[in-house]
Amino acid sequence: MRKNLTGKTILIVVILLIFVAGIIGIPKGFSGAALKEAFLSRIHLGLDLSGGTHLILQVMVEEAVGTTSDGDLSRVLNDLKTAGATGATATKPDPKNQPEIIRVTGVSQDKDSAVRSVLNDHYAPQYDVVAGINNSYTLTMKPSVVREIKQRALQQSIETIRSRIDKLGVNEPVIEEYGPGSGHFEILVELPGIDDFGRVKDVIQSTARLEIHEVLGGPYPDPSNALQANGGTFPPDAELVKSDDSSASGGQYYLLRRMSIVAGSEFRDAQPSVDQNQRPDVSFTLTTAGGNKFYEYTSSNIGKSMAIVLDNTVREVATIQGAIRDQGQISGGGITQEEAQNLSLMLRTGSLPASIHFLDEQTIGPSLGADSIRHGVTAAAAGLILVLIFMLVYYHGAGINADLALILNLVILLGVMGYIHATLTLPGIAGVILTIGMGVDSNVLIFERIREELRAGKSPSAAVDQGFSHAFRTIIDTHVTTIVSAAILFLFGTGPVQGFAVTLTIGLLANLFTAVYVSRVIFEAHLNKRQRGEPISIG
């Protein structure tokens, strides 16, 4: 009985055309160069194939904890004043090694109850508040809060770095947590096609934490001079910050109020510009809320000094001549045009919550990538050709069936990758090669089962029918187990390993369609053409 295969044939042809379009889209021509350009515009090459920069960064999350506790320290000082505890003070005993601890001392006996109530009411959700001797209190940030701050700092760093890299115009960068769950707070950055490592490092590494602080004293030639000028100790809400002005021997230092006037997210925009002497500088604009705060401060502190602090370095100190609302400039320090562009870029994309340390730096040259492509493509092509020849020799006419199904399998795989604009890596090419092997394995299972049915005396049409039916369950089992393994690789792997898992999974799904459906349609078409009693060519 002959089967009508018109609908199935049309479906296969339509699918073939759809996925060919996924591979090359609408090419500008049909020359080799035009087709290659069309292919690469849809399937991007990964770092190992195109060359570029590979980095592993560590986020110094303790700094984010310290910044949070600095803000809380200022709040504690204000709350002590509000409670009338004028003789009390709050400090961080070891801000470098234990940034999560704040200590309150000097509370008089008559104010002890009021201070205890303020600390428990305002800070107990985030801190463990423990009373000590002589009416002192120790506020220790809770471990859950510390973990949350560290994880938030990591995620904010990833998003900030991604924004900065996107502004540089990098194609298909990889920016993600490295070794999630390890507690090391590291970031993997892969930038295909980027070899200007110096600029990338400058853009990524700078925290670009821009703040404006009140100046309490200075400039001082060195820290000891600053201490002497302030009676041997600094106020608890003050910090000594170095200036980038190195004209004096040893630089200069300013004593600033620890709490900033405006900072961070209150900067809305920044653009490179020039000052009145045509020297490069950066013009910044504050948000409405930041501008209102800045106006309120400057209008009530005319004649006082304020400092523009970038990355814990005083860039400028100016005397407030009048009220300022939402605009200002950063200049001085011999800033170059490129530095002005980089700085404005970093301020526009937001500041990092903590500094970044480079743990691993690798630059992969394009020649190495070209070598990888050549060897990878050669291996894939050689493997494909050998497999096609083997199937023809071993299974005779049925080998043509297997070869056609295998070629369609590769077309579907590359077409899907083109539609999702996947990034092809060297492990991805390995996934393609493995897909070829899995495709052949499915056909071998089917063909061997058909051979068994023929040896058992079944007619060719019955043998084909039984061969596909009995091999189907085994094919499903092998493919599902391999897809599960690929899913585990994708979930726990990074970068190229994930690329291998994606390529393998797409290839396996395509193989289920080609080996089970397409191959059967080809067999049925052959059975329609053969004469009654004529055997099928299957080796």
Side-chain angles (χ1 to χ4, degrees):
M1 176 179 170
R2 297 181 182 275
K3 297 183 179 180
N4 187 352
L5 303 176
T6 304
K8 293 181 178 179
T9 304
I10 291 175
L11 175 62
I12 293 171
V13 171
V14 169
I15 289 175
L16 176 62
L17 294 176
I18 288 173
F19 287 106
V20 167
I23 297 173
I24 61 175
I26 302 176
K28 297 178 181 177
F30 292 95
S31 65
L35 292 175
K36 180 180 178 182
E37 181 183 354
F39 174 79
L40 293 179
S41 68
R42 300 182 67 84
I43 300 178
H44 304 287
L45 298 181
L47 183 70
D48 52 357
L49 298 180
S50 63
T53 300
H54 167 94
L55 305 169
I56 296 177
L57 316 175
Q58 184 175 29
V59 183
M60 310 309 291
V61 291
E62 295 294 340
E63 294 180 9
V65 176
T67 300
T68 302
S69 60
D70 281 345
D72 292 335
L73 174 62
S74 296
R75 287 174 51 213
V76 169
L77 289 168
N78 288 333
D79 288 341
L80 291 175
K81 292 179 182 178
T82 303
T86 54
T89 188
T91 59
K92 292 170 64 174
D94 190 358
K96 183 177 181 180
N97 298 313
Q98 293 180 309
E100 71 279 8
I101 295 178
I102 298 173
R103 187 158 295 154
V104 178
T105 56
V107 180
S108 60
Q109 187 65 40
D110 59 322
K111 296 297 180 182
D112 183 57
S113 178
V115 169
R116 183 187 300 111
S117 297
V118 167
L119 295 179
N120 284 323
D121 291 345
H122 294 181
Y123 302 95
Q126 290 81 33
Y127 289 83
D128 292 320
V129 181
V130 179
I133 60 173
N134 299 325
N135 301 330
S136 64
Y137 294 89
T138 300
L139 284 70
T140 305
M141 194 177 292
K142 294 180 178 179
S144 60
V145 176
V146 172
R147 284 195 302 271
E148 182 182 349
I149 292 172
K150 290 180 177 180
Q151 191 61 37
R152 188 167 61 244
L154 174 66
Q155 294 304 320
Q156 185 181 339
S157 297
I158 291 174
E159 293 305 316
T160 301
I161 291 173
R162 181 176 288 114
S163 296
R164 294 179 180 179
I165 296 301
D166 287 345
K167 296 290 184 181
L168 290 176
V170 180
N171 211 4
E172 298 293 326
V174 174
I175 304 166
E176 59 189 23
E177 183 176 353
Y178 183 72
S182 65
H184 294 156
F185 303 99
E186 297 171 357
I187 302 173
L188 170 68
V189 178
E190 292 185 343
L191 309 175
I194 296 296
D195 54 8
D196 186 1
F197 178 69
R199 189 183 181 199
V200 168
K201 187 172 183 178
D202 288 342
V203 168
I204 289 178
Q205 186 168 265
S206 175
T207 56
R209 187 181 299 131
L210 182 61
E211 301 171 331
I212 300 178
H213 289 257
E214 177 184 351
V215 177
L216 301 178
Y220 305 109
D222 53 58
S224 60
N225 188 274
L227 270 173
Q228 184 179 357
N230 287 272
T233 183
F234 297 136
D237 62 340
E239 60 180 344
L240 194 65
V241 180
K242 189 174 182 178
S243 168
D244 69 348
D245 182 5
S246 58
S247 57
S249 177
Q252 294 182 332
Y253 293 82
Y254 288 88
L255 188 65
L256 309 180
R257 193 170 301 281
R258 187 183 298 273
M259 195 67 179
S260 62
I261 304 167
V262 290
S265 60
E266 293 170 318
F267 289 87
R268 183 177 64 194
D269 190 22
Q271 296 292 336
S273 60
V274 293
D275 61 15
Q276 63 271 24
N277 296 315
Q278 300 302 305
R279 294 175 300 189
D281 67 4
V282 175
S283 300
F284 63 83
T285 304
L286 299 173
T287 61
T288 301
N292 290 339
K293 285 173 58 179
F294 200 38
Y295 179 82
E296 181 181 346
Y297 176 81
T298 54
S299 61
S300 59
N301 288 276
I302 295 175
K304 294 185 178 180
S305 296
M306 62 180 180
I308 294 177
V309 179
L310 178 66
D311 289 345
N312 297 317
T313 302
V314 175
R315 295 300 297 262
E316 278 191 83
V317 174
T319 301
I320 302 172
Q321 303 292 343
I324 308 170
R325 185 170 294 278
D326 62 353
Q327 292 185 333
Q329 288 180 309
I330 306 170
S331 60
I335 186 172
T336 65
Q337 184 65 42
E338 183 176 352
E339 289 171 339
Q341 291 174 347
N342 288 346
L343 176 56
S344 60
L345 164 64
M346 290 180 287
L347 294 178
R348 287 197 305 273
T349 55
S351 62
L352 288 167
S355 60
I356 297 291
H357 284 190
F358 286 70
L359 299 181
D360 185 30
E361 309 167 7
Q362 296 179 29
T363 301
I364 300 173
S367 59
L368 179 60
D371 227 27
S372 299
I373 295 173
R374 184 170 60 256
H375 291 309
V377 171
T378 300
L384 177 61
I385 291 170
L386 289 174
V387 166
L388 294 178
I389 293 173
F390 169 81
M391 296 302 286
L392 287 173
V393 171
Y394 194 73
Y395 288 109
H396 301 168
I400 300 174
N401 182 332
D403 291 349
L404 291 174
L406 186 58
I407 292 171
L408 180 56
N409 187 1
L410 292 177
V411 171
I412 293 175
L413 169 58
L414 295 176
V416 172
M417 294 179 67
Y419 278 120
I420 65 176
H421 295 282
T423 299
L424 183 63
T425 61
L426 199 57
I429 294 177
V432 173
I433 297 173
L434 183 56
T435 297
I436 295 172
M438 292 293 292
V440 171
D441 180 62
S442 299
N443 281 285
V444 168
L445 287 173
I446 294 169
F447 292 176
E448 289 301 319
R449 187 69 193 195
I450 292 174
R451 278 178 165 182
E452 289 181 10
E453 298 296 334
L454 289 171
R455 284 194 291 267
K458 298 283 183 67
S459 67
S461 59
V464 168
D465 196 46
Q466 291 297 312
F468 276 94
S469 298
H470 291 145
F472 180 74
R473 179 177 293 180
T474 304
I475 292 172
I476 290 293
D477 287 345
T478 57
H479 281 63
V480 168
T481 53
T482 309
I483 288 174
V484 169
S485 301
I488 294 172
L489 286 176
F490 183 83
L491 290 174
F492 297 100
T494 59
V497 175
Q498 289 181 324
F500 171 79
V502 169
T503 305
L504 181 59
T505 301
I506 296 172
L508 291 172
L509 294 175
N511 184 55
L512 282 176
F513 171 72
T514 57
V516 175
Y517 184 83
V518 176
S519 185
R520 183 160 189 167
V521 170
I522 295 174
F523 261 117
E524 290 174 348
H526 176 64
L527 291 172
N528 280 350
K529 293 180 179 180
R530 60 182 285 279
Q531 300 297 321
R532 182 179 296 274
E534 181 183 347
I536 58 174
S537 177
I538 195 168

